Amino acid sequence: MAINSVNATRSSNFVIGSEARVFAGHINDLNDFYLYTSWSYKKVFNLAPQFTEAFSKESTTSAQLNETFHVGDYCACTINDKDWDRGVIRQLDSNGFATIYRIDYGDVQRIRVQFLLRLQEWMFQTYRLAHHCTLSNIIKPINGWPSNVIDEFRAQLNRSNLYARFLNYNEIREISEVEIRVKGSTKTVNKDFERYQMERSVVQINDQHVYQNISMEILDCTRPNEICMLYYISPTRFYVYLKEKFDSHTSFQIDLQKSMQNLHTLSSPVKYQVIAVQDSRALWHRAVILDVRDNLSNICVYVFDIGHIECITINDIRQLPQEFLSKPAFAIPCRLYNVCPINGNEQSIWKLDDKVHDKFIRLMVNTVNCKVCSKQDKICYDVEIDIPKVGDLGAFLINNNLVSHATMGYSPRSNFSSGQPPQQSLVRPQFLSYGILPSRERQQQYRPTQQLEFYNNQNTMVQQLQTRTFNTGFQNTTAQQSSSTLSSIGSLLTIGTYDGYYIITKIRSVAEFYGLSQNRQHEFEVLSKELEQYYNNSVNNQSLTVPVILDGTPCVIEQHDKYYRVIIKHRENGSKVLVKLIDCGDEIVVDTSELLQIDKKFCTIPAFVQTFYLHGYDESQNSVNITRNLKKLLLNQWVHIAQQGLILNGRYGVHVTLCDNRSVNKMLLSN
């Protein structure tokens, strides 16, 4: 029977905000336990005898005994040879055992397949009786909850007259966030365990290597995105998913469960290895290893499609089949734009008992719209969220004195004379301090609709290229090309540099480094999406072969599920060529079979990065140490660029100022 066609596949739905008397069921920990309402508590005691009676009246045929079961099938199972319960098959072993998740109890049992029976049709007509729950606003420590804390929690839930308020239901994780209290008490059980949770800043991921094998899902920077909450840590780190991806993710998870049968445990797991991990319901999830203890007792992993970090044992991990690497991570890391703890700044740590956590969770119960303001070092989206009947979430929290307006502070760097290594922190681009406006205020400036029309209209693009004037800030430069030479030299066009704010993307030396202007960042994101849509469309496959491999030929390559415009610099040897990524500044060697023919509409857009050198340098200063220090100061940072001096070999002499107003030229070239 299809998994989503029967009531037994779901718990009964509570009205968000409603309160009911509850009874404790199976308890794994504070973020993974089961509750019964008064009705379901009585029902669970009556259902098993009803099943047992029904099966005892039915004669078991040889066909039933030899019936074939599959992963995902619902079945009747027994663990004491007396009472029958409902379950779903999570795994089928080659030795004749099945791993069963008992839907009315919440536990997992290993049972011989020969003791399983098909559920009769009437047995599907009752919802799952055990409600899967987590304590709202309580973050699980990375190393898990200590056993004494779990024992204390069990003791609390075994008391009589317990009431639970259902604050939210996570459809992906199939879990309700609840607040529990004893009747008549104003203090919640949640409050009692608040002190045991870990600092919220500890459980967030800031490592770009995490996504080197499974890419991040993309939020559209040109329009509002419909999102739902997936996993909350704080207003400056939470995980969402795109509502439109729900059905495809559900199908993907079903396929993953079926593929994870009879796979062996890993003997030598290593850092950044992509794996599958099993949760308490015997479901498999994609994850990446962050740390491995010497004795393999604890393996720290990040779960891609949920967004949380936890430590597990080696028995709960398997090699992830290759076909499940291509789909982007379902969980999208976000932070609320331009907010910080009350009376704090960007470096302040959120308090465990901060009132904003509860309010944030309660407001994010439904599908909401978000707009992207920026992206923090390719890891985390800065977003504005629009809540129905509330409006802008950030403004609401600020107006209610739950958060403060963030003042963008300078991220400390190493003092080069101290001999101390630089701090390994991923710094959010300093948008506000540079006068960069939030997304709502930027829309008039960027006019994304017109940009998309420009990219999609080849005639317009050709006309723009043939006679296009670029306002450089210093002079007006007109680039004129004939349409016959469009495909060969169009992508060599660049826009002259101008004073402003740039993110530094590549550093070769003080005589050559690259930056992307803040004014063109949005345009670059639009182009990236257009490239992805075009080259992932199978209709275009027949015209992608590059006919002639010549120096200076523009092409497209795919790297880590992203597409980049490149120029062929020269052949290396055999089938290898050196190419330059014109929108990043990188140079890499690729095989000629990786080169894709560039469509002419992508040739008309000038290269996004500018090439700079530090004004005032001479060759005697171009040393290893000065290049290393330049990288520590500038790489992936937003800085102010002002043109000074001559243009040498296509590179602009510039003066660079950090966000704390320190002059890079003076720091590195003063001696």
Side-chain angles (χ1 to χ4, degrees):
M1 187 167 292
I3 286 183
N4 289 319
S5 64
V6 292
N7 291 339
T9 65
R10 301 176 182 274
S11 299
S12 57
N13 292 327
F14 285 96
V15 176
I16 298 300
S18 65
E19 190 174 56
R21 186 181 180 186
V22 293
F23 301 84
H26 182 67
I27 298 174
N28 290 312
D29 59 39
L30 287 69
N31 300 106
D32 183 8
F33 58 93
Y34 294 82
L35 296 177
Y36 298 101
T37 62
S38 297
W39 176 84
S40 64
Y41 189 65
K42 294 176 183 177
K43 187 71 174 177
V44 76
F45 286 106
N46 296 330
L47 206 58
Q50 291 175 15
F51 289 169
T52 302
E53 182 180 359
F55 286 126
S56 65
K57 293 179 180 179
E58 184 182 84
S59 59
T60 305
T61 65
S62 58
Q64 287 175 312
L65 290 174
N66 295 322
E67 192 165 13
T68 301
F69 287 95
H70 302 92
V71 171
D73 285 349
Y74 283 79
C75 64
C77 59
T78 178
I79 59 175
N80 57 13
D81 297 328
K82 293 182 180 179
D83 295 327
W84 289 86
D85 307 306
R86 300 184 299 174
V88 59
I89 299 174
R90 297 297 199 208
Q91 188 166 327
L92 291 167
D93 299 338
S94 57
N95 56 7
F97 279 87
T99 301
I100 306 294
Y101 170 65
R102 296 200 303 164
I103 64 176
D104 297 316
Y105 295 91
D107 62 343
V108 174
Q109 300 288 341
R110 198 160 176 264
I111 301 172
R112 283 195 174 276
V113 176
Q114 68 189 68
F115 296 140
L116 303 181
L117 293 175
R118 290 284 180 189
L119 289 178
Q120 298 174 14
E121 187 173 349
W122 67 271
M123 297 175 181
F124 285 99
Q125 303 311 311
T126 301
Y127 283 108
R128 295 184 181 185
L129 299 177
H131 298 276
H132 193 201
C133 298
T134 177
L135 284 185
S136 179
N137 198 23
I138 300 294
I139 304 295
K140 184 177 182 177
I142 291 177
N143 290 323
W145 293 104
S147 58
N148 64 309
V149 174
I150 297 175
D151 290 341
E152 183 182 342
F153 179 62
R154 285 197 176 102
Q156 291 256 29
L157 261 58
N158 283 330
R159 293 183 293 177
S160 59
N161 291 325
L162 279 184
Y163 283 77
R165 184 176 296 277
F166 294 82
L167 303 180
N168 200 349
Y169 179 72
N170 191 311
E171 199 171 7
I172 291 294
R173 298 168 60 203
E174 295 183 327
I175 196 167
S176 296
E177 295 191 44
V178 297
E179 202 174 63
I180 302 175
R181 64 178 180 86
V182 176
K183 184 179 181 180
S185 174
T186 57
K187 187 179 181 182
T188 64
V189 172
N190 305 51
K191 196 70 177 177
D192 290 336
F193 291 92
E194 204 171 61
R195 66 186 185 275
Y196 295 118
Q197 63 180 328
M198 189 173 289
E199 289 287 352
R200 292 173 185 263
S201 60
V202 176
V203 290
Q204 63 187 43
I205 186 75
N206 285 326
D207 191 343
Q208 293 187 37
H209 292 94
V210 164
Y211 295 102
Q212 62 188 4
N213 291 307
I214 293 180
S215 63
M216 283 180 58
E217 185 62 83
I218 296 174
L219 290 180
D220 194 325
C221 298
T222 66
R223 61 177 177 83
N225 299 268
E226 277 198 328
I227 60 167
C228 297
M229 178 67 79
L230 186 56
Y231 188 72
Y232 173 84
I233 299 173
S234 73
T236 51
R237 181 51 60 94
F238 53 93
Y239 294 82
V240 303
Y241 67 90
L242 289 166
K243 184 66 174 177
E244 64 190 35
K245 303 286 186 178
F246 177 84
D247 290 338
S248 63
H249 176 71
T250 301
S251 299
F252 178 81
Q253 282 295 105
I254 292 173
D255 293 339
L256 177 61
Q257 308 313 311
K258 293 177 180 178
S259 297
M260 296 303 301
Q261 305 304 305
N262 299 314
L263 296 182
H264 299 294
T265 57
L266 296 178
S267 57
S268 302
V270 295
K271 188 174 183 178
Y272 298 131
Q273 183 176 3
V274 176
I275 56 171
V277 299
Q278 192 175 44
D279 66 13
S280 63
R281 296 185 296 157
L283 285 173
W284 293 96
H285 305 275
R286 299 184 300 169
V288 60
I289 296 175
L290 301 180
D291 189 33
V292 181
R293 301 283 173 84
D294 291 338
N295 58 3
L296 300 181
S297 60
N298 266 336
I299 300 173
C300 185
V301 302
Y302 169 70
V303 185
F304 283 111
D305 300 318
I306 296 178
H308 78 274
I309 303 172
E310 64 175 319
C311 285
I312 59 174
T313 67
I314 194 170
N315 294 328
D316 291 325
I317 69 174
R318 299 288 188 275
Q319 180 71 46
L320 182 70
Q322 192 73 20
E323 62 266 28
F324 294 99
L325 293 175
S326 59
K327 193 175 183 65
F330 190 65
I332 306 172
C334 294
R335 56 179 286 157
L336 198 58
Y337 179 71
N338 206 24
V339 302
C340 65
I342 195 74
N343 299 324
N345 56 44
E346 275 210 324
Q347 282 71 47
S348 300
I349 296 175
W350 296 95
K351 296 179 181 178
L352 298 179
D353 60 350
D354 204 313
K355 293 180 180 179
V356 70
H357 303 312
D358 181 66
K359 179 60 71 174
F360 198 105
I361 291 170
R362 291 173 187 260
L363 288 173
M364 289 286 289
V365 296
N366 299 311
T367 302
V368 297
N369 285 330
C370 83
K371 293 182 180 179
V372 176
C373 299
S374 63
K375 195 173 183 183
Q376 180 191 162
D377 289 315
K378 302 181 180 180
I379 288 291
C380 186
Y381 285 97
D382 283 290
V383 297
E384 291 174 336
I385 295 176
D386 186 57
I387 305 290
K389 299 182 181 180
V390 171
D392 183 83
L393 178 58
F396 174 85
L397 297 176
I398 291 172
N399 293 337
N400 285 272
N401 295 318
L402 294 171
V403 299
S404 289
H405 195 279
T407 300
M408 306 301 181
Y410 171 66
S411 177
R413 294 274 171 171
S414 294
N415 183 336
F416 297 125
S417 62
S418 68
Q420 297 297 320
Q423 293 186 13
Q424 298 299 315
S425 60
L426 291 173
V427 184
R428 178 188 180 195
Q430 309 297 322
F431 281 91
L432 192 64
S433 61
Y434 289 149
I436 301 174
L437 301 175
S439 62
R440 287 191 178 91
E441 300 173 56
R442 283 190 283 146
Q443 286 177 351
Q444 295 300 317
Q445 175 184 353
Y446 286 127
R447 303 183 68 83
T449 302
Q450 291 185 8
Q451 286 185 339
L452 284 171
E453 291 173 353
F454 177 80
Y455 291 148
N456 290 325
N457 188 333
Q458 293 191 26
N459 293 329
T460 301
M461 297 170 73
V462 172
Q463 293 167 5
Q464 290 279 351
L465 178 65
Q466 290 172 341
T467 305
R468 186 171 183 179
T469 301
F470 305 124
N471 187 349
T472 66
F474 302 103
Q475 59 182 354
N476 286 336
T477 305
T478 302
Q480 294 184 333
Q481 306 294 343
S482 68
S483 58
S484 62
T485 59
L486 176 66
S487 62
S488 62
I489 65 173
S491 54
L492 289 174
L493 290 171
T494 59
I495 295 178
T497 193
Y498 52 90
D499 290 7
Y501 302 99
Y502 291 75
I503 186 168
I504 304 304
T505 60
K506 181 70 178 179
I507 297 175
R508 299 191 186 283
S509 68
V510 291
E512 183 182 358
F513 57 97
Y514 298 80
L516 169 64
S517 168
Q518 169 256 315
N519 288 338
R520 299 195 69 203
Q521 185 192 24
H522 182 79
E523 185 184 356
F524 176 63
E525 292 169 347
V526 174
L527 173 64
S528 298
K529 187 166 185 178
E530 289 289 303
L531 286 168
E532 181 181 354
Q533 291 175 348
Y534 181 86
Y535 287 98
N536 283 340
N537 189 341
S538 59
V539 174
N540 300 317
N541 284 346
Q542 301 303 317
S543 60
L544 295 185
T545 303
V546 178
V548 182
I549 309 297
L550 297 175
D551 293 358
T553 302
C555 308
V556 170
I557 64 169
E558 181 183 5
Q559 291 282 307
H560 308 298
D561 295 326
K562 302 290 184 184
Y563 292 93
Y564 299 91
R565 301 187 298 169
V566 301
I567 293 288
I568 297 175
K569 296 203 70 174
H570 60 76
R571 278 190 178 270
E572 289 287 304
N573 52 63
S575 63
K576 304 296 183 183
V577 292
L578 178 69
V579 299
K580 181 168 185 174
L581 284 68
I582 66 170
D583 298 316
C584 305
D586 291 297
E587 292 183 2
I588 60 174
V589 175
V590 299
D591 193 274
T592 54
S593 62
E594 297 180 74
L595 300 175
L596 304 174
Q597 184 171 332
I598 190 168
D599 188 273
K600 67 179 182 180
K601 70 178 181 179
F602 298 121
C603 292
T604 64
I605 305 165
F608 282 91
V609 292
Q610 300 292 331
T611 313
F612 305 120
Y613 69 89
L614 278 186
H615 175 65
Y617 96 99
D618 62 45
E619 289 296 331
S620 65
Q621 295 171 305
N622 198 8
S623 66
V624 171
N625 285 338
I626 201 170
T627 299
R628 291 184 66 198
N629 290 340
L630 186 68
K631 289 181 178 180
K632 292 174 183 177
L633 284 169
L634 300 190
L635 192 59
N636 295 325
Q637 299 299 307
W638 287 93
V639 296
H640 186 271
I641 295 285
Q643 186 185 18
Q644 289 186 354
L646 302 174
I647 301 175
L648 302 176
N649 298 321
R651 303 168 191 168
Y652 292 85
V654 294
H655 184 272
V656 182
T657 306
L658 300 177
C659 59
D660 62 347
N661 293 322
R662 288 187 296 168
S663 166
V664 174
N665 301 60
K666 290 181 180 179
M667 293 171 64
L668 299 184
L669 305 180
S670 59
N671 294 325

